[in-house]
Amino acid sequence: MISVRRVTKVYPNGVTALREVDLEIAKGEFVFLVGASGAGKTTLLRLLFREETPTSGSVIVNGHDVGRMRPRQIPYLRRQIGVVFQDFRLLPQRNIQENIAFALRVIEVHPREIRRRVNQVLELVGLSDRGLALPAQLSGGEQQRIALARAMVSRPVMLLADEPTGNLDPQNAEEMMRIMLEINRLGTTVVMATHAAHLVDRARQRVVAMADGSIQRDELAAAYHMEVNR
Amino acid sequence: MRLRTWAFCLNEANQNLLRNPVLAIASVTTTAVSLLVLGVFLLLSVNVNAIATSIESQVAVRAFFSQNVPRSQEMAEMQTVRGWSDVRTATLVTKAEALAQLKQEFGDQAKVLDTLGTANPLEDSLSVTAQRPQDVKGLASRLSHLGGVVHTTYQSAVVSRLFALIDDVRIVGLVIGVLLLIGSLLVITNAIRLGMTARRREIGIMRLVGATESLVHWPFILEGLILGGIGALVASALAYWSYVAAYHTAVHSLPFLPLISPSPVARDIALLLFVLGILLGAVGFRISVRRLARI
Ligand SMILES: Nc1ncnc2c1ncn2[C@@H]1O[C@H](COP(=O)(O)OP(=O)(O)OP(=O)(O)O)[C@@H](O)[C@H]1O
Ligand SMILES: [Mg+2]
């Protein structure tokens, strides 16, 4: 599903965010990306949905060589990838249904199909009754679940989440985590960058720990910190 | 793109316009004014051009005979000239007729001529008009080589000054029109750019969820076309109707002016203004598009 080989990323300002990173993620996996601020988690995620291109090395996502992809093909890659950020990035003037439908409208899905799928994802995130509310009328936790619903409405094979619980209180963070694990259980590959140690520890999934642009540790069914006596 | 996607883009474009009504109105107004100025100058210049052309074709070339040429030779020369293909009319003006004409032109001051007594210092001449204005010069030179002719005159100075004036008017009009067009282009470009900034979030999300770049672009192209198009519509309608009105007034009060009838010229110019307005919107988008790539 994801194959990152010897990838180095140097930003135009000279900062080296990734050094010779190798990472393989299979279809259906759930992977936590952890590590100190500036370790390169966001950069790695941005390479996967072609927000950035690698300076060297190759990034293969779902069979596409993302680094060498022609610009016209990028939209079709993105339709296979759902992305959630720390800030929810909802459109403030549109209600919840329209926010989610927007993602399908701009890829020309039939209106009847849009309505059906919007209802489905609203159910998935447990907010079926809030469809007509505006984002500002929802709590932060609810807004993030809407962002998650929008990411999933195009039925991506992969979900990328960059600190999705960063702005949420513990209870909402746990609810968000529960839904993401459910999404993974239903077959979607999930990669989540996070600083939330307790969530990682509870979930017992694969953990990829980064430091200074390199992968330090890659363990299955692991915890946020290295466990010495395992 | 599908029809509903066009509808989506149009709706996005409209929302941009509504979000910034002042700028939208400014864009439409400047476009309308600059196109209207251009249109008025165009209509003015085609008409002045027509007037000048008709004056030039009516200009008579005069070929003056030497005093000792017999009348019979003068008549023969007139017949020859009438046979030329570029000649419309050719008439003999005797020196007596010329003097009478002069007296008439002097009117109240005709007494001045009485000092001449019975002497007539004038000469017999042929008065020749050309079929086409551009024939006049060649005609004059051929007439000067005619037997018995001492010199020829025509009012070339007046006509060429008129044509020079038309050129000046045309250049001034063009310069003012183009300056105004540049101004309205700036306003349109600004409106589109502001729309892009206001829609950052939408654009970011569209790209994130896999909208094609053309779908990202179209709302702004449409915005430009709407702004330019409405301005152009106003300008071409105003230009058209005011020309029709002005023409009908002029036809009654100044019937001798050879004005150009509104169809097809007013329609063509209205069409030209409309196309220019649309082009203005398209160019406005083209200038702003780089901003879109940076969002
Ligand atoms: N667009 C950019 N231009 C230049 N340098 C950047 C850019 N984005 C990130 N960096 C730098 O690259 C390095 C890695 O940043 P990155 O955002 O990937 O870290 P991170 O692991 O996501 O950190 P955090 O946990 O704080 O989000 C940092 O040193 C950062 O300053
Ligand atoms: Mg980050």
Side-chain angles (χ1 to χ4, degrees):
Chain A
M1 175 78 10
I2 297 172
S3 176
V4 175
R5 293 198 193 125
R6 296 187 52 133
V7 164
T8 295
K9 174 63 186 179
V10 182
Y11 280 109
N13 63 357
V15 174
T16 304
L18 296 176
R19 296 167 208 276
E20 304 260 307
V21 170
D22 282 299
L23 181 63
E24 297 285 330
I25 296 175
K27 185 167 167 31
E29 273 195 289
F30 193 113
V31 179
F32 285 113
L33 275 183
V34 303
S37 187
K41 305 180 295 292
T42 297
T43 302
L44 183 55
L45 289 178
R46 284 158 67 87
L47 289 175
L48 297 181
F49 65 99
R50 185 48 159 82
E51 186 69 17
E52 292 287 348
T53 50
T55 307
S56 67
S58 72
V59 177
I60 313 286
V61 174
N62 205 17
H64 307 282
D65 188 339
V66 175
R68 287 171 194 78
M69 184 172 256
R70 283 206 310 269
R72 339 184 105 259
Q73 295 177 303
I74 297 172
Y76 303 96
L77 170 80
R78 301 239 174 113
R79 291 174 195 192
Q80 301 167 9
I81 303 175
V83 188
V84 180
F85 301 94
Q86 183 170 356
D87 55 336
F88 322 125
R89 304 199 187 177
L90 300 176
L91 301 172
Q93 310 96 326
R94 295 173 204 248
N95 71 27
I96 298 313
Q97 279 181 1
E98 288 164 354
N99 260 283
I100 300 172
F102 186 82
L104 294 181
R105 200 162 288 160
V106 299
I107 59 172
E108 309 204 81
V109 174
H110 194 279
R112 207 175 319 122
E113 178 69 7
I114 292 180
R115 235 170 294 132
R116 209 167 62 83
R117 288 213 222 164
V118 168
N119 289 333
Q120 273 177 0
V121 288
L122 276 175
E123 212 162 292
L124 175 73
V125 300
L127 291 170
S128 295
D129 52 339
R130 306 308 304 274
L132 298 177
L134 288 172
Q137 297 168 323
L138 266 54
S139 74
E142 288 169 329
Q143 288 187 46
Q144 187 62 302
R145 275 143 71 192
I146 296 305
L148 181 59
R150 182 183 61 199
M152 293 308 296
V153 79
S154 59
R155 298 188 176 156
V157 293
M158 172 189 318
L159 176 68
L160 306 179
D162 194 356
E163 302 189 37
T165 63
N167 283 343
L168 307 186
D169 62 68
Q171 203 183 331
N172 273 307
E174 266 174 45
E175 174 64 6
M176 185 72 188
M177 194 63 230
R178 189 191 62 73
I179 299 169
M180 298 206 3
L181 286 167
E182 172 70 7
I183 286 168
N184 175 246
R185 202 184 57 75
L186 294 172
T188 308
T189 309
V190 179
V191 183
M192 170 174 167
T194 187
H195 292 288
H198 60 288
L199 292 181
V200 177
D201 291 345
R202 283 259 296 278
R204 302 304 302 183
Q205 298 286 346
R206 181 176 169 189
V207 174
V208 173
M210 301 183 67
D212 200 19
S214 305
I215 292 177
Q216 301 288 301
R217 174 168 64 103
D218 186 351
E219 282 184 290
L220 295 175
Y224 187 86
H225 294 289
M226 171 107 74
E227 294 166 308
V228 270
N229 50 355
R230 233 161 68 117
Chain B
M1 292 199 297
R2 292 174 191 282
L3 193 61
R4 60 172 177 272
T5 308
W6 286 111
F8 170 83
C9 290
L10 198 62
N11 185 44
E12 296 289 299
N14 274 330
Q15 279 179 11
N16 277 357
L17 298 176
L18 294 178
R19 204 174 308 183
N20 251 308
V22 176
L23 208 55
I25 291 168
S27 307
V28 169
T29 313
T30 52
T31 306
V33 168
S34 54
L35 288 174
L36 192 59
V37 167
L38 207 67
V40 166
F41 271 104
L42 281 175
L43 285 167
L44 217 61
S45 98
V46 292
N47 273 292
V48 176
N49 209 21
I51 293 168
T53 303
S54 105
I55 290 174
E56 177 141 83
S57 63
Q58 286 163 23
V59 165
V61 182
R62 294 289 280 271
F64 295 92
F65 290 108
S66 155
Q67 292 279 12
N68 50 20
V69 176
R71 180 62 48 86
S72 60
Q73 190 192 341
E74 291 173 357
M75 297 299 277
E77 301 293 7
M78 182 178 75
Q79 289 309 326
T80 313
V81 171
R82 279 182 175 166
W84 295 350
S85 63
D86 52 356
V87 166
R88 194 154 51 149
T89 60
T91 46
L92 182 67
V93 181
T94 64
K95 59 185 190 179
E97 283 165 352
L99 187 64
Q101 206 177 338
L102 203 59
K103 276 188 174 152
Q104 203 173 10
E105 280 168 16
F106 271 56
D108 293 343
Q109 275 91 49
K111 285 190 198 86
V112 178
L113 298 173
D114 292 343
T115 56
L116 293 172
T118 52
N120 183 349
L122 300 178
E123 298 142 344
D124 291 345
S125 66
L126 281 178
S127 174
V128 182
T129 61
Q131 290 285 6
R132 297 174 309 161
Q134 56 265 46
D135 295 334
V136 170
K137 213 173 247 170
L139 196 56
S141 94
R142 260 179 292 134
L143 284 171
S144 67
H145 293 114
L146 224 53
V149 167
V150 277
H151 70 283
T152 58
T153 63
Y154 66 102
Q155 286 158 289
S156 73
V158 177
V159 171
S160 64
R161 226 176 296 145
L162 193 58
F163 275 115
L165 185 71
I166 294 167
D167 277 344
D168 288 349
V169 167
R170 209 177 281 158
I171 287 168
V172 168
L174 218 61
V175 167
I176 293 175
V178 166
L179 285 180
L180 285 169
L181 280 181
I182 291 172
S184 72
L185 188 63
L186 288 179
V187 180
I188 289 182
T189 305
N190 245 311
I192 296 175
R193 280 193 183 153
L194 227 70
M196 287 175 177
T197 310
R199 290 187 70 240
R200 293 198 116 85
R201 262 172 183 277
E202 269 100 336
I203 293 169
I205 292 166
M206 284 170 92
R207 287 183 171 143
L208 189 68
V209 300
T212 56
E213 275 306 291
S214 71
L215 199 105
V216 174
H217 286 186
W218 267 107
F220 300 105
I221 300 177
L222 291 177
E223 186 184 350
L225 295 186
I226 291 170
L227 290 174
I230 294 177
L233 220 56
V234 171
S236 37
L238 279 178
Y240 184 82
W241 293 115
S242 52
Y243 186 68
V244 170
Y247 177 79
H248 286 297
T249 313
V251 160
H252 290 295
S253 51
L254 308 163
F256 51 87
L257 276 186
L259 295 178
I260 297 179
S261 100
S263 73
V265 72
R267 192 200 56 206
D268 287 353
I269 284 177
L271 212 66
L272 176 77
L273 294 186
F274 185 70
V275 170
L276 269 178
I278 294 282
L279 219 62
L280 221 53
V283 172
F285 168 76
R286 195 69 197 81
I287 294 174
S288 336
V289 75
R290 243 188 276 162
R291 164 89 44 112
L292 204 52
R294 277 187 272 117
I295 284 178

